[in-house]
Each structure stands twice: as C-alpha cells, then as structure tokens.
Amino acid sequence: MFLKQKEQLEIMDGSKSTLKNINIIIAGGGTGGHLFPALAIGEEILTRNSNIKIHYVGSLFGLESKVFPIKDVWHTLLPIRGFQRDISIKSFLRNALLPFRILRSFHKTNNLINDFSPDIIIGTGGYASALPLFVASTNKKNIPIILQEQNSSPGITTKWFAKRAKKVCVAFKDNRSKILGNIVHTGNPIRKDLTKGNKSQGYKNFYFNKMYKTIFLFGGSQGSSYLNNILSQIVKEFENASIQVIWQTGDHEFCKYKKYSSKKIHVTPFINNMSEAYAISDLIICRSGALTISEITVCGKPSILIPFSHAAGDHQTKNAQLLVKSNAAKLILEKNLNKKNLLYTVMNLIHNEKALNQMRKASKAIGKPNAASKIVDHILQEKL
C-alpha cells in the first residue's frame, strides 16, 4: 500500500500562496515524444515543491522501461503494448495477447490508483496513458485529469479523453479547432536541463575536437532506418571534410552501423545526455516530430528537417514548414531525398557561418522555453 502523507504545497501565482496536499500520477510513454514531456512536467512540478508525490506510469515495452530506472523516479510499468499494424506472424501473436495484456494492465492500474489516491492524473499520450485516464474517468472519486498534446494532429488518447479533461494543453494554436474541450495553448514542455549543456564537457565526452564543425543526426528516440541508411552513404564524405558527426541510430540498428565509428564519427544507439549533444552541434539533421521541433528551437539550433512521410495527418511536414517559413530550417521531403542533395545541402550550410547564425536566431525566436511552467500552472490551479 502507498501511504499518503500530509504535505503542504506552496503554489506561487504572482500574488498569493496557497497550501495543498497533493499526489500526482503522470501517465505517458511508448516513445520519447510522449515520455520526455511527462518527465519535463514532473521536473517542473518538483521545482515548485520537492515534497509533492509524483508517480509515473508507462509501458514495459516502451522507452520508459529504460529511462525511468536511470532517472530514479517512482514508477509503474504496465504489461501493455500498442496494436501491431504490420502483417507478420510475430505481430499476429502480439495482437492475440493484447486483450490479456489490457486486462492485466487494467488490474494493475486500478490497484495503483486505489493505493496511491492521486489528486490529479496527467496524460501525455501513448498507449500507456489511456488506462490510467480511463480508470480516473470512471472512478467514483471523480479524479480530475489534464492532457498534454504534443502534435499538430491530436492523438487517439487526446481525442478519447479531451471532453472529460479539465484542461487540454496543446503545443500548436491550430489544435484548438481540432479538439473538443477546454483547450489552452502552452507549447511543448522540454527537459529542464536541455539548454544547459556544457560545450567543453560535451567535446570531451564525445572525444571530439572543438576546432571542427559538428553535425548531429537522429531519428527520434528509437532512431530512423531511413535516415540511418542515407547517412551511411555519405558519412565518409563528412569525415574526409573534417566534419564531426554524432549519429544516434536507435537500439535496433546500432549493430548495423557501429562499424562507421571513428575519431570523427560517434555512433551510438541512444544519448542520455542530450544537452551536451545539442550544445556542441552546429547543425541538426532530423525528423520533424513535435517534441523534436520544440527541443531544437528552444536550443536555438539550425536544422535540416526530413519529415516522416507517413505521419498522421502529415503533421511532421506541417511542423517543418513552420520553421522553414521563419528561416530557421531547411526542408527536404522524403520523396526528394537522396545522398547527393543531402550532401549538397549540408556542405552549403555547415561552413557558412553567416547563414548558420541567422538560422540560430530564427530558431531561438520560435522556441517556447516556458511551456512546462505554463502547463504546471494549469495543473496546480485545479487544486487551489
């Protein structure tokens, strides 16, 4: 049993202090796009009062199963995974087990909520967040919920629970016309330490030379087969031009590409300290998921964006166009991408300090560094 202690929470709203006892569940994960906003919101809550009880809920099969232990946060992992859409025996077997996983996860969630007695539940999306939100919505205690939607095209969990939520905090203004509910525009929360990377320490940890330009390529927390493949065709060109590359492959493809590691090419499955990677990067090559866009703009980084062409509602292209219109990024659509035009685009930018500086300023101007603070204001207002 989780013991609920009496705690005092001092919430500063600029004019007064209010004392409250509060326990919070933050549910979300599967991918970094849902997990890292959850962690950012939790970190911001604890800056208000370190005695607040926060319990994270995620999936055994999501990125959070690796990140939560590293972060040393109080958490529960549900034995649930998303529906497999590809056609294979492996996917068929996984989908056949889905009803049993849902039942086990529901039982575990119900026990957690009864024992922990949360005062509010925050959902950041992903299949791991749906069950806690459902239990809260049907619980006799009438537990309030707040949603945080990262994407320009709202996810299934947001669509399901938006009407029930006290607030739906969205990253993009145009989302307010797509979701029925109490919508507030806050931007996407990012990890608090993301902009505090030490450049000198970063060069040291990646074994890089500060005299060389650095490119950082990643395809989200799980990597991108598409981006990995295209980079493998030109990475030696960068190395020969004395350009350093941080290459995050994702866990599944690390073994395939680790052979490219050298003094100037740092190949890694996952980066825990993203702040240092951002700090030493002169140019980012990446997808244009909502959280990625939020991170690179808050860090003020120039980027070459390659949207995932099968993203729901083509929201990644819409995200990328926002930065392109502001002169903060270059856009290459998948249908136009080949090793020649990517190499050409990089080489025309990486040594053009004037262009990079203009892109840095434009990128920084778009960023919303106070998004987490705004979201937490809305969360705590519900308990005033």
Side-chain angles (χ1 to χ4, degrees), residues 346-362:
V346 171
M347 290 304 190
N348 273 283
L349 270 179
I350 196 67
H351 294 301
N352 187 338
E353 196 58 33
K354 182 179 179 181
L356 288 177
N357 273 328
Q358 290 174 341
M359 293 173 74
R360 288 185 191 109
K361 291 177 182 178

Side-chain angles (χ1 to χ4, degrees), residues 307-379:
F308 177 51
S309 60
H310 300 293
D314 199 26
H315 68 265
Q316 288 210 7
T317 300
K318 295 172 185 175
N319 294 345
Q321 287 170 341
L322 174 67
L323 271 65
V324 173
K325 288 177 183 177
S326 301
N327 297 315
K330 301 293 183 183
L331 169 64
I332 305 178
L333 298 176
E334 277 189 5
K335 63 182 181 181
N336 300 325
L337 181 64
N338 55 58
K339 63 179 184 179
K340 184 177 180 180
N341 65 6
L342 180 58
L343 184 63
Y344 177 84
T345 304
V346 171
M347 290 304 190
N348 273 283
L349 270 179
I350 196 67
H351 294 301
N352 187 338
E353 196 58 33
K354 182 179 179 181
L356 288 177
N357 273 328
Q358 290 174 341
M359 293 173 74
R360 288 185 191 109
K361 291 177 182 178
S363 180
K364 194 76 173 177
I366 297 171
K368 291 182 170 59
N370 298 318
S373 180
K374 290 180 180 178
I375 291 168
V376 171
D377 285 343
H378 287 291
I379 291 168

Side-chain angles (χ1 to χ4, degrees), residues 163-176:
K163 287 184 180 179
R164 166 68 175 78
K166 294 289 185 179
K167 299 277 181 65
V168 183
C169 301
V170 300
F172 300 95
K173 287 184 178 180
D174 61 353
N175 249 352
R176 289 181 293 188

